[in-house]
């Protein structure tokens, strides 16, 4: 007999409310577990993300419950259920099954779309299949159980889905390796144990079903969600990356006098000299540095020791070439490529200045190449290499609803926002905060800006300023497809110059500008197809190694331009000489004859395991003649005075000059103390590996 309309409407409302309440409880529980796991294992997770995940799961669970409540009439007829308690219990079972099936479907689909450890060599496929089999058994058991207390079943499946990916990364190995088989068997055994124990406990459970109008049933989803948010935020705060700060235990052996100058080293990552108006680029890309250079020394031909970040910075900090300090790409004993950190045996400029009583600090944006894991932090009492947590850059590190939510949030995010680096404005905020901590003590401050690094994006303010120069300043040797990137690159340089100008104003406001030694330089340039390459770390042509170097010291008046080539390995000697009274080890870097000024390990070349790593080198003779010699035995000679774009190779016409240069390079290599090629690099964290891959430094 059909129910009367009034009773039917009331029953429908009750069913919907009941389904929403219980579905929301399940969703809030799953979301809370998801949020807790990404707080522990995720990378660059902002504080707001756990609330988004929990809120989304809670809403999805409520929607699932409402759908079950609406559809229950059809389910009731199929199962011939008449009792009101059976209806309530059935709705709960259906919500449990729906939640489990939904989680498993998302889990499988996200894995299919790709996470490295899921697709590579079928790693972890066995525990995935075992887990899905257990999830199917749990769902089937939930649909038959007479108990309403099935929340633990969702917890069981949610925990498995969320921890599978982090656990899989712990033993990244082929499917049939011993470690993988052992891990798979252990995980399968654990899941079966939980299943049977839970089944036994559920069989003994006879908890009273709460009525819909009872406050615990109504408030429970929100209590669970609030608890999950609070716990996730607490974990994120406790595990948040923080700057290295050993100020209280610094290695000062004496106190610098208050009249000693501050030393500020500013490195504009990826900025080539010829795109700066201070180096005669006709577009006004660097008006603030133009003004800064009016009372400074401008080195017109500064050469970076390498065409990528880590070896150049290590050279600037030690005064050594990459083959001497060893911080570079290397091949390990198993034949793979990795990155070797700076040896602790090499004393750094920061250590020297710290021993002299200077307060030392660094704030870096390129946390991929300048991570403390690579040893470049040594000597800095404060080293801020914190990555930038944001919704656009978050990596949950799991195959769960959180991964989908992050994916959806990031679909419309501009590509440049998906990075992990901090902008120049954010870097300046940290710099000023550190300076203000001890305003009266001389400091050595190192600043690294990454804004000019790819991917480039438009800066509307500076696009308008540079609009009249974009077409006229396009180099005919630039690839047409890279011309727009070159325009955006100029805009990034202009933005960076603007932020450096703001930093200078802050220094002036604090009376720390006029009495400071300020050096502005770059670690390498950027290619836009001039020699068939894009980016950097590919060649030793001028577009990748010719960098700015502007030095201002107290009392300097007027601009002085120095044209002889100079290597950035001169940085320690230059800074210590300007600081006064501090000696170096006596190394001389003056270019008098053929000298190796830049090196690049050619990781793109195929190499057998027993062979040494191929290294290309650039030599200069002090009169703007340049020789590039590579591991394949090819030599290219250029006269930079008449051929600044390095288009005409004159090596065939000047054989004796090439022979003299190669002899000088050979003698230099026999003198230097290098690391053995068999040395293994430091194990790199997964987050740092991702950052290095995003910049193109690891494959």
């Amino acid at each position: 007999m059909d129910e009367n309309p009034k009773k039917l409407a009331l029953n429908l409302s009750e069913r919907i409310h009941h389904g929403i309440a219980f579905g929301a409880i399940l969703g809030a529980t799953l979301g809370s577990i998801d949020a807790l796991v990404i707080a522990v294992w995720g990378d660059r997770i902002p504080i707001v993300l756990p609330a988004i995940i929990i809120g989304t799961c809670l809403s999805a669970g409520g929607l699932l419950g409402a759908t079950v409540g609406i559809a229950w009439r059809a389910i009731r007829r199929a199962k011939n259920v008449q009792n009101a308690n059976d209806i309530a219990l059935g709705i709960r079972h259906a919500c449990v099954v729906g939640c489990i099936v939904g989680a498993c479907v998302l889990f499988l689909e996200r894995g299919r779309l790709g996470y490295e450890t899921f697709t590579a060599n079928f790693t972890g496929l066995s525990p995935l299949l075992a887990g899905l089999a257990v999830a199917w058994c749990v769902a089937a058991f939930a649909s038959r159980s007479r108990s309403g207390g099935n929340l633990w079943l969702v917890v069981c499946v949610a925990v498995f889905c969320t921890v599978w990916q982090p656990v899989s990364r712990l033993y990244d190995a082929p499917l049939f390796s011993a470690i993988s088989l052992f891990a798979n068997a252990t995980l399968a055994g654990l899941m079966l144990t939980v299943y049977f124990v839970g089944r036994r406990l559920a069989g003994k459970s006879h908890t009273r079903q709460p009525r819909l109008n009872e406050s615990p049933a109504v408030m429970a989803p929100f209590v669970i969600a609030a608890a999950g948010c609070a716990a996730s935020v607490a974990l994120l705060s406790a595990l948040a990356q923080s700057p290295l700060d050993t100020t209280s235990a610094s290695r000062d052996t004496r106190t610098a006098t208050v009249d000693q100058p501050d030393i500020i080293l500013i490195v504009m990552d990826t900025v080539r000299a010829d795109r700066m108006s201070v180096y005669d680029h006709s577009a006004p890309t660097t008006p603030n540095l133009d003004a800064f250079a009016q009372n400074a020394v401008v080195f017109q031909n500064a050469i970076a020791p390498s065409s990528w970040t880590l070896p150049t910075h290590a050279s600037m900090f030690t005064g050594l070439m990459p083959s001497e300090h060893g911080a570079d790409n290397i091949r390990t004993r198993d034949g793979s490529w990795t990155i070797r950190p700076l040896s602790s045996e090499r004393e750094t400029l920061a250590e020297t200045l710290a021993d002299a009583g200077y307060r030392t600090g660094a704030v870096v944006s390129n946390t991929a190449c300048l991570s403390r894991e690579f040893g470049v932090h040594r000597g800095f009492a404060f080293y801020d290499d914190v990555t930038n947590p944001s919704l656009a850059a978050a990596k949950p590190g799991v195959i769960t609803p959180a991964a989908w939510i992050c994916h959806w949030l990031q679909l419309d995010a501009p590509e440049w926002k998906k990075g992990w680096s901090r902008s120049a404005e954010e870097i300046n905020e940290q710099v000023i905060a550190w300076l203000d901590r001890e305003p009266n003590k001389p400091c050595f401050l190192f600043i690294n800006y990454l804004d000019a690094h790819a991917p480039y994006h438009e800066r509307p303010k500076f696009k308008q300023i540079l609009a009249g120069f974009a077409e006229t300043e396009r180099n005919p040797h630039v690839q047409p497809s890279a011309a727009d990137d070159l325009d955006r690159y100029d805009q990034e340089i202009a933005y960076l110059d603007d932020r450096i100008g703001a930093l200078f104003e802050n220094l002036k406001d604090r009376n720390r500008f006029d009495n400071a030694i300020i050096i502005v330089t770059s670690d390498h340039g950027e290619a836009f197809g001039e020699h068939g390459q894009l980016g950097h770390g590919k060649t030793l042509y001028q577009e990748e190694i010719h960098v700015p170097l502007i030095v201002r010291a107290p009392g300097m008046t007027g601009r002085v331009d120095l044209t002889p080539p100079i290597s950035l390995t001169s940085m320690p000697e230059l800074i210590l000489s300007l600081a006064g009274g501090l000696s170096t080890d006596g190394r001389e870097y003056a270019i008098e004859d053929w000298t190796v000024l830049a090196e690049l390990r050619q990781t793109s070349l195929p190499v057998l395991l027993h062979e040494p790593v191929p290294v290309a080198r650039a030599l200069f003779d002090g009169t703007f003649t340049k020789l590039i010699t590579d591991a394949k035995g090819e030599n290219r000679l250029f006269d930079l005075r008449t051929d600044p774009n390095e288009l005409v190779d004159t090596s065939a016409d000047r054989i004796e000059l090439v022979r003299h240069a190669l002899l000088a390079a050979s003698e230099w290599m026999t003198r230097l103390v290098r690391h053995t090629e068999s040395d293994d690099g430091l194990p790199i964290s997964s987050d740092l590996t991702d950052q290095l891959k995003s910049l193109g430094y690891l494959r």
Side-chain angles (χ1 to χ4, degrees):
M1 181 176 179
D2 292 338
E3 300 167 291
N4 62 64
K6 183 176 181 181
K7 185 69 175 175
L8 182 61
L10 180 62
N11 286 340
L12 176 62
S13 176
E14 288 180 343
R15 292 197 302 271
I16 293 175
H17 289 168
H18 196 86
I20 290 175
F22 193 68
I25 290 175
L26 297 179
T29 302
L30 189 151
S32 296
I33 293 171
D34 217 352
L36 288 169
V37 172
I38 69 165
V40 176
W41 277 294
D43 294 322
R44 304 185 293 276
I45 305 298
I47 294 293
V48 70
L49 185 57
I52 294 175
I53 291 171
I54 294 173
T56 302
C57 291
L58 186 151
S59 302
L63 181 62
L64 169 66
T67 303
V68 171
I70 293 171
W72 183 252
R73 255 184 110 186
I75 300 174
R76 181 194 66 184
R77 287 175 178 170
K79 292 192 174 184
N80 195 27
V81 177
Q82 301 293 337
N83 186 281
N85 288 333
D86 288 342
I87 292 175
L89 184 60
I91 290 175
R92 292 177 177 229
H93 288 163
C95 288
V96 169
V97 173
C99 185
I100 291 174
V101 170
C104 291
V105 168
L106 289 176
F107 179 50
L108 258 181
E109 182 65 8
R110 189 63 194 175
R112 184 185 69 81
L113 291 178
Y115 268 86
E116 291 86 355
T117 50
F118 179 85
T119 57
N121 299 323
F122 299 100
T123 300
L125 185 59
S126 179
L128 173 62
L129 296 177
L132 291 175
V134 171
W136 179 84
C137 294
V138 169
F141 170 60
S143 65
R144 295 195 303 267
S145 173
R146 297 294 300 172
S147 170
N150 290 317
L151 189 60
W152 71 269
L153 298 174
V154 175
V155 172
C156 178
V157 175
V159 169
F160 168 77
C161 289
T162 50
V163 303
W164 178 84
Q165 175 71 5
V167 170
S168 175
R169 287 203 300 259
L170 297 178
Y171 66 92
D172 190 6
L175 177 61
F176 296 107
S177 65
I179 187 172
S180 181
L181 291 174
F182 175 77
N184 296 345
T186 302
L187 183 56
L190 178 63
M191 292 300 296
L192 288 173
T193 301
V194 171
Y195 168 70
F196 285 116
V197 171
R199 179 177 180 177
R200 186 175 182 83
L201 293 175
K204 295 181 178 181
S205 175
H206 299 286
T207 56
R208 181 180 67 85
Q209 303 302 315
R211 297 175 59 84
L212 289 174
N213 59 359
E214 291 180 348
S215 58
V218 177
M219 297 300 297
F222 302 101
V223 172
I224 294 172
C229 284
S232 301
V233 170
L235 275 174
L236 284 174
S237 300
L239 299 175
Q241 187 183 15
S242 59
L244 176 68
D245 193 349
T246 59
T247 303
S248 59
S250 63
R251 48 182 279 150
D252 295 358
T253 59
R254 65 182 179 89
T255 302
T257 60
V258 294
D259 59 344
Q260 285 183 295
D262 287 337
I263 302 169
I264 302 174
L265 173 60
I266 299 173
V267 177
M268 306 177 294
D269 209 299
T270 323
V271 173
R272 51 192 271 184
D274 66 343
R275 304 306 295 185
M276 302 171 64
S277 52
V278 69
Y279 280 86
D280 298 327
H281 183 41
S282 61
T285 52
T286 56
N288 289 287
L289 290 177
D290 293 349
F292 173 75
Q294 293 309 306
N295 294 291
V297 177
V298 180
F299 293 89
Q300 290 291 333
N301 292 285
I303 303 298
S306 183
S307 57
W308 72 285
T309 301
L310 176 60
T312 292
H313 279 82
S315 291
M316 284 193 289
F317 291 161
T318 63
L320 303 172
M321 290 294 291
S323 289
E324 296 173 290
H325 60 62
D328 208 333
N329 288 311
I330 64 163
R331 190 182 63 245
T332 61
R333 291 185 178 90
D334 63 3
S336 62
W337 289 96
T338 187
I339 295 174
R340 180 168 48 203
L342 180 63
S343 170
S344 59
E345 299 175 358
R346 306 300 186 185
E347 185 171 12
T348 67
L349 174 62
E351 288 175 316
T352 301
L353 291 170
D355 284 340
Y358 271 84
R359 176 179 171 234
T360 56
V363 184
V364 302
S365 183
N366 190 343
T367 57
C369 296
L370 300 178
S371 166
R372 67 190 75 171
E373 294 185 33
F374 292 134
V376 289
H377 70 290
R378 287 189 295 104
F380 290 105
F382 177 84
Y383 194 83
D384 185 353
D385 59 347
V386 175
T387 54
N388 188 26
S390 67
L391 287 176
K395 294 192 64 178
V398 294
I399 303 179
T400 61
W404 283 101
I405 292 169
C406 282
H407 175 71
W408 293 326
L409 290 172
Q410 293 168 358
L411 280 178
D412 296 328
E415 187 64 30
W416 64 273
K417 283 189 175 180
K418 298 180 183 179
W420 32 261
S421 61
R422 292 172 290 178
S423 67
E425 188 170 356
E426 293 170 313
I427 292 294
N428 283 353
E429 291 175 359
Q430 298 303 315
V431 165
I432 297 304
W434 180 78
L435 284 172
D436 288 346
R437 284 167 53 178
E438 292 186 61
N440 297 320
K441 186 175 181 180
C443 71
F444 169 49
L445 172 62
F446 163 57
I447 306 170
N448 168 267
Y449 296 112
L450 192 63
D451 302 85
H453 198 290
Y456 327 107
H457 67 287
E458 289 186 353
R459 303 278 184 177
K461 172 184 175 181
F462 303 103
K463 180 181 181 181
Q464 183 177 2
I465 293 173
L466 302 176
F469 300 90
E471 292 295 329
T472 59
E473 282 304 309
R474 282 182 178 167
N475 189 317
H477 307 293
V478 170
Q479 287 184 4
S481 60
D484 289 338
D485 276 344
L486 186 57
D487 287 342
R488 286 189 289 269
Y489 177 72
D490 282 351
Q491 295 167 34
E492 295 280 27
I493 294 175
Y495 163 76
L496 184 52
D497 173 82
D498 182 74
R499 292 299 86 203
I500 291 175
L503 173 67
F504 289 164
E505 290 302 316
N506 275 290
L507 293 175
K508 291 175 182 177
D509 291 342
R510 290 161 174 77
N511 295 318
R512 305 195 76 153
F513 182 83
D514 292 333
N515 193 41
I517 298 169
I518 302 176
I519 301 99
V520 180
T521 187
S522 177
D523 56 346
H524 55 77
E526 188 84 334
F528 291 90
E530 290 89 344
H531 291 89
Q533 297 290 342
L534 298 173
H536 54 270
K538 312 284 182 61
T539 73
L540 293 178
Y541 289 110
Q542 290 295 91
E543 59 265 20
E544 293 194 46
I545 63 172
H546 180 207
V547 296
L549 178 59
I550 309 171
V551 179
R552 182 188 185 281
M556 283 188 177
T557 57
R559 171 169 172 163
V560 178
D561 289 274
L562 297 182
T563 57
I566 181 175
S567 171
L568 293 190
T569 55
S570 302
M571 191 67 71
E573 182 180 7
L574 180 64
I575 288 176
L576 295 176
S577 297
L578 289 172
L582 301 175
S583 62
T584 66
D585 61 359
R587 289 176 58 92
E588 297 295 332
Y589 295 96
I591 305 303
E592 298 177 356
D593 199 350
W594 284 106
T595 305
V596 178
L597 294 189
E599 296 182 296
L600 178 66
R601 292 178 181 240
Q602 298 176 284
T603 58
S604 60
L605 296 180
V607 183
L608 297 177
L609 183 58
H610 65 276
E611 293 180 339
V613 176
V615 179
R617 292 184 170 89
L619 295 88
F620 292 76
D621 73 345
T623 62
F624 304 100
T625 305
K626 174 183 177 182
L627 177 72
I628 300 177
T629 177
D630 61 28
K632 295 184 293 184
E634 296 181 358
N635 302 307
R636 283 151 289 173
L637 187 70
F638 304 101
D639 187 340
L640 298 179
R641 291 167 295 188
T642 59
D643 181 25
N645 294 314
E646 297 168 288
L647 301 176
V648 181
D649 176 11
T650 62
S651 59
D653 300 328
R654 308 177 74 181
I655 296 176
E656 281 301 319
L657 189 62
V658 171
R659 185 176 302 161
H660 180 61
L662 293 177
L663 178 61
S666 177
E667 292 175 350
W668 175 80
M669 285 185 287
T670 60
R671 292 195 304 268
L672 66 82
V673 178
R674 74 176 74 190
H675 286 265
T676 61
E677 296 297 339
S678 61
D679 288 347
D680 283 339
L682 185 75
I684 302 173
S685 65
S686 60
D687 183 35
L688 185 55
T689 299
D690 291 338
Q691 294 178 40
L692 289 165
K693 287 181 177 178
S694 72
L695 296 180
Y697 293 129
L698 284 180
R699 298 189 297 275

